[in-house]
Amino acid sequence: MAVKDPTAVERANLLNMAKLSIKGLIESALSFGRTLDSDYPPLQQFFVVMEHCLKHGLKVRKSFLSYNKTIWGPLELVEKLYPEAEEIAASVRDLPGLKTPLGRARAWLRLALMQKKMADYLRCLIIQRDLLSEFYEYHALMMEEEGAVIVGLLVGLNVIDANLCVKGEDLDSQVGVIDFSVYLKSDDDIGGKERNVQIAAILDQKNYVEELNRQLNSTVSSLHARVDSLEKSNTKLIEELAIAKNNIIKLQEENHQLRSENTLILMKTQHHLEAAKVDVEAELQTYKHSRQGLDEMYSEARRQLREEAQLRQDMENELVVQVSMKHEIELAMKLLEKDIHEKQDTLIGLRQQLDEVKAINVEMYQKLQVSEDAMKEKNEIISRLEDKTNQINATMKQLEQRLQQAEKAQMEAEAEDEKLKQEYVNKSESLQNEFSQKEKQLLQLETDLKIEKEWRQTLEDDLQKEKETVSHLRTETQEIVTLKKEFLKLQEKNKQLKSTCEDQEAALQELASKLSESKLKIEDIKEANKALQGQVWLKDKEATHCKLCEKEFSLSKRKHHCRNCGEIFCNACSDNELPLPSSPKPVRVCDSCHAILIQRCSSNVP
């Protein structure tokens, strides 16, 4: 036989106790029918079991005065891993009545149960096993798979609504003892399977609704995040649009300035031209005799005219460039406005999608109820469609026969009547159109059939999941049966122990009777000793040698005084011993009178 690991046995026992406490708490809360108070016994037992589970495998830490071993250390670590747990930690620290770390840990567990987030907080702890190794041993429950199983079981406690008063309760001095009588069930409780099935169905529905609400909350939060991001991008685009408008205003101002400069340059060129014409005329009049001077002046004037014309052309090109830039800016403005309008439309669409998602979630519950009726109706529709398809095939065969007959008649009467031919052609075309329409109807019916098959497959998957849950519940009932068998075995052991205890009590009574007899004998001896109290005992200083062996008393040879005859003996000469029930050690007896000897001690000899 292989020896089991005691830590593994402890973990298994704690896991079974957690299963029983959580299951009993959920069942009693559902039958109770309202929110639970702190005085509710199954709830108190649940907190005691959780405290034992969290204490398993804790490392002992040295404090200033003594050794410390509490669960507040790992629970306080949740605040760093899960930001939503900061409020619980702060409220636990601010409670005035708590003085010990264990009391703070108990208050933390109660607040986490009220928030319905105990499973989430402990899941964060289990994931971070590197940090947990500072508080727990390697074989602790929170470091092994049993801790993950307990966290999974704690998800079912979200069904319960708890209203606990933590402020006035004395959590420091509570004694955590598990009451096993709460979890011991009778045959009547085990026989009510229908009620357990109904409770399990209600729990599954409630868990399903809560999971849907969580998913919806996550989708809503993601949509809110998208809306915030779109609003931020919208504000950025509005800012960019304002900047672009400012740039357009600046460019328009620069354009006006350039146009004014262009007009000034044109005026100056006109003045220069006029002055040049006047100078040319004056020079022509004054310098008619000097042909060369006139030619030079004419070439200079012509050169100046070319330069002025080139400057004017450059200015016109710059104006064209500015106009094109203005058109591009206007196009960019229009595109930005279109983007803004499109993003606003997308925002409106997203909000509509949120409303539609909510409406769809409401409709999903109704569709789940109507799905079975719809399946029956759709099966009837499928049978009807199959009948219609058979009718259509029969009509198609009839139409083909008619077409063959028409073609034969057409071959016989081609020469005689062309008008009849045209009528038959028209009828054939109409029949072909009807045939194409019916083919389309057939395609639509096939798509409907595919959809119905998909619906049926989803429903079969749901049925399979429900079967799995039923099998899981059966395994749990089998575990309960095994626990009952173990309990019966423990009852048999208890009966055996009771029988042994009764035997021991009888033996004790017999010993008591014997002790009473020995006490009577001792009282008789005491009365005999009282009669001889008149004799004078020998003093310690005078008694230096033993009466029998005449040897001197020392550390090895101690003095023993006889109550009856008054003689003093050493321990070697008074070896006669008598066992008495009143004393744990045997008593020394005098050799001459057989009375009890008293050990005496003097100043120098013990």
Side-chain angles (χ1 to χ4, degrees):
M1 293 293 289
V3 179
K4 291 185 179 179
D5 189 5
T7 57
V9 175
E10 289 176 1
R11 288 198 301 271
N13 291 330
L14 287 172
L15 178 61
N16 292 324
M17 285 306 302
K19 284 181 181 178
L20 287 172
S21 63
I22 291 166
K23 189 175 180 182
L25 180 60
I26 291 167
E27 289 178 355
S28 60
L30 289 174
S31 62
F32 200 49
R34 61 186 179 88
T35 56
L36 303 179
D37 297 329
S38 59
D39 296 331
Y40 193 56
L43 188 61
Q44 292 177 356
Q45 287 298 311
F46 166 71
F47 286 126
V48 170
V49 172
M50 283 304 297
E51 187 177 341
H52 280 282
C53 291
L54 291 170
K55 280 182 179 178
H56 185 262
L58 266 176
K59 290 181 179 179
V60 179
R61 292 196 167 192
K62 291 182 180 179
S63 62
F64 183 70
L65 296 174
S66 63
Y67 290 97
N68 190 8
K69 189 175 181 181
T70 59
I71 58 174
W72 174 241
L75 293 179
E76 196 176 9
L77 187 64
V78 179
E79 184 181 0
K80 298 177 182 178
L81 302 174
Y82 203 91
E84 294 182 5
E86 293 178 356
E87 296 179 0
I88 292 180
S91 61
V92 168
R93 292 190 191 97
D94 294 336
L95 284 172
L98 298 176
K99 296 179 182 179
T100 60
L102 184 59
R104 295 191 189 96
R106 289 169 176 170
W108 188 92
L109 288 172
R110 283 157 174 78
L111 292 173
L113 181 66
M114 283 194 284
Q115 280 190 350
K116 296 184 179 181
K117 290 186 178 179
M118 188 186 288
D120 297 331
Y121 295 155
L122 294 178
R123 189 183 295 114
C124 293
L125 272 178
I126 288 170
I127 291 167
Q128 301 292 330
R129 291 189 179 178
D130 297 333
L131 299 175
L132 274 180
S133 61
E134 297 179 1
F135 300 98
Y136 289 101
E137 300 289 343
Y138 69 94
H139 57 79
L141 185 136
M142 296 296 288
M143 298 291 287
E144 295 292 335
E145 294 179 356
E146 286 84 356
V149 174
I150 290 172
V151 170
L153 292 171
L154 289 174
V155 177
L157 293 178
N158 295 332
V159 179
I160 298 169
D161 296 325
N163 187 6
L164 308 176
C165 183
V166 184
K167 191 172 182 181
E169 194 173 357
D170 187 10
L171 298 173
D172 295 327
S173 61
Q174 286 184 359
V175 179
V177 179
I178 299 171
D179 187 6
F180 291 98
S181 64
V182 178
Y183 307 110
L184 299 176
K185 295 185 178 180
S186 62
D187 296 330
D188 296 331
D189 295 329
I190 294 168
K193 290 184 179 179
E194 293 180 356
R195 181 174 172 275
N196 292 326
V197 170
Q198 290 176 359
I199 290 165
I202 291 163
L203 286 171
D204 292 334
Q205 288 175 2
K206 191 169 183 181
N207 291 325
Y208 177 68
V209 171
E210 286 182 355
E211 287 295 327
L212 280 175
N213 288 325
R214 285 185 183 178
Q215 290 178 1
L216 288 171
N217 289 324
S218 63
T219 53
V220 167
S221 60
S222 63
L223 289 170
H224 279 304
R226 287 181 67 186
V227 168
D228 293 332
S229 64
L230 288 170
E231 285 178 354
K232 288 178 182 179
S233 62
N234 193 3
T235 52
K236 287 180 181 179
L237 289 170
I238 289 165
E239 290 175 357
E240 290 177 358
L241 197 146
I243 292 163
K245 284 181 179 179
N246 292 323
N247 291 325
I248 287 165
I249 292 163
K250 288 179 182 179
L251 290 170
Q252 286 177 354
E253 290 177 354
E254 289 178 358
N255 193 3
H256 287 300
Q257 289 178 0
L258 289 169
R259 284 182 179 177
S260 61
E261 289 177 358
N262 193 5
T263 53
L264 290 170
I265 289 164
L266 287 170
M267 293 291 288
K268 286 179 181 179
T269 53
Q270 287 178 359
H271 286 298
H272 283 297
L273 286 169
E274 290 176 356
K277 285 179 182 178
V278 171
D279 291 334
V280 167
E281 288 178 354
E283 286 176 359
L284 285 169
Q285 289 177 2
T286 53
Y287 294 103
K288 286 181 181 179
H289 298 288
S290 56
R291 185 73 177 178
Q292 292 178 353
L294 288 170
D295 291 332
E296 289 176 358
M297 290 295 289
Y298 181 74
S299 63
E300 286 177 358
R302 193 172 180 180
R303 184 174 57 78
Q304 288 178 359
L305 282 169
R306 285 178 182 174
E307 288 177 356
E308 293 294 331
Q310 192 171 2
L311 287 169
R312 184 176 180 181
Q313 190 174 2
D314 293 330
M315 291 302 293
E316 286 176 356
N317 291 325
E318 287 179 357
L319 282 169
V320 170
V321 171
Q322 291 295 327
V323 169
S324 65
M325 287 288 287
K326 183 180 179 182
H327 286 300
E328 288 177 357
I329 289 163
E330 287 176 355
L331 288 170
M333 285 290 290
K334 288 178 180 178
L335 291 170
L336 287 171
E337 287 176 356
K338 284 181 181 179
D339 290 330
I340 289 162
H341 287 302
E342 287 176 357
K343 286 179 180 178
Q344 287 177 355
D345 293 330
T346 54
L347 284 171
I348 293 163
L350 287 170
R351 287 173 184 170
Q352 289 177 357
Q353 285 178 2
L354 279 171
D355 295 330
E356 288 175 357
V357 166
K358 290 178 181 177
I360 287 164
N361 288 320
V362 173
E363 289 175 0
M364 283 294 290
Y365 296 112
Q366 297 175 359
K367 285 182 180 179
L368 285 171
Q369 294 175 357
V370 181
S371 62
E372 292 179 356
D373 296 330
M375 282 293 292
K376 292 179 181 177
E377 291 176 358
K378 286 175 181 178
N379 287 321
E380 291 176 358
I381 290 164
I382 288 162
S383 63
R384 290 174 186 173
L385 290 171
E386 287 176 355
D387 294 330
K388 286 182 181 179
T389 51
N390 292 322
Q391 290 177 2
I392 288 163
N393 289 321
T395 52
M396 286 290 294
K397 289 178 180 178
Q398 290 176 2
L399 289 171
E400 287 176 357
Q401 290 175 1
R402 288 179 184 177
L403 283 170
Q404 289 176 2
Q405 290 174 3
E407 286 175 355
K408 289 177 181 178
Q410 190 176 5
M411 291 294 290
E412 291 173 354
E414 279 182 356
E416 293 178 353
D417 197 4
E418 292 178 357
K419 292 180 181 180
L420 293 171
K421 185 179 177 180
Q422 291 177 357
E423 289 176 358
Y424 281 121
V425 169
N426 292 323
K427 285 181 181 179
S428 65
E429 288 176 354
S430 63
L431 290 170
Q432 285 179 358
N433 292 322
E434 287 178 358
F435 180 73
S436 62
Q437 289 177 0
K438 288 179 179 178
E439 283 182 348
K440 289 179 181 177
Q441 289 178 358
L442 280 170
L443 291 170
Q444 289 178 358
L445 292 170
E446 286 177 355
T447 54
D448 292 331
L449 283 169
K450 287 180 182 178
I451 292 164
E452 291 298 327
K453 285 179 181 178
E454 290 175 355
W455 274 100
R456 188 177 290 171
Q457 190 172 2
T458 53
L459 290 170
E460 286 176 356
D461 294 331
D462 294 331
L463 285 170
Q464 190 173 2
K465 288 179 182 178
E466 289 178 355
K467 287 178 181 178
E468 289 176 355
T469 54
V470 168
S471 64
H472 182 68
L473 290 169
R474 284 177 181 171
T475 54
E476 286 182 352
T477 53
Q478 288 176 0
E479 289 176 356
I480 290 164
V481 170
T482 54
L483 288 170
K484 186 178 178 182
K485 290 178 180 177
E486 290 177 358
F487 176 68
L488 292 172
K489 290 178 181 178
L490 290 170
Q491 282 183 345
E492 290 177 357
K493 287 182 181 178
N494 192 5
K495 288 179 181 177
Q496 291 176 0
L497 290 170
K498 282 182 180 178
S499 64
T500 53
C501 286
E502 288 174 357
D503 295 333
Q504 288 175 359
E505 284 176 357
L508 286 170
Q509 288 177 358
E510 291 176 359
L511 287 172
S513 63
K514 290 180 180 179
L515 284 170
S516 63
E517 291 175 359
S518 62
K519 282 182 180 179
L520 291 171
K521 290 178 181 179
I522 289 164
E523 286 176 358
D524 295 331
I525 293 166
K526 283 181 180 179
E527 288 175 358
N529 287 327
K530 285 180 182 178
L532 297 170
Q533 283 180 356
Q535 293 182 2
V536 179
W537 287 10
L538 190 65
K539 294 182 180 179
D540 290 335
K541 291 180 180 179
E542 294 177 358
T544 57
H545 293 80
C546 180
K547 184 71 176 174
L548 294 174
C549 62
E550 295 182 356
K551 290 182 180 179
E552 190 177 0
F553 293 113
S554 63
L555 290 171
S556 61
K557 293 185 177 183
R558 293 182 294 278
K559 295 177 181 180
H560 288 82
H561 193 281
C562 179
R563 292 181 178 179
N564 192 9
C565 59
E567 297 294 336
I568 296 171
F569 302 98
C570 63
N571 56 355
C573 295
S574 57
D575 286 335
N576 297 323
E577 293 180 351
L578 179 66
L580 288 177
S582 60
S583 63
K585 294 181 180 180
V587 180
R588 297 184 183 275
V589 182
C590 180
D591 291 331
S592 60
C593 62
H594 299 286
I596 296 169
L597 295 176
I598 299 170
Q599 184 177 353
R600 303 179 66 189
C601 45
S602 60
S603 60
N604 56 357
V605 180

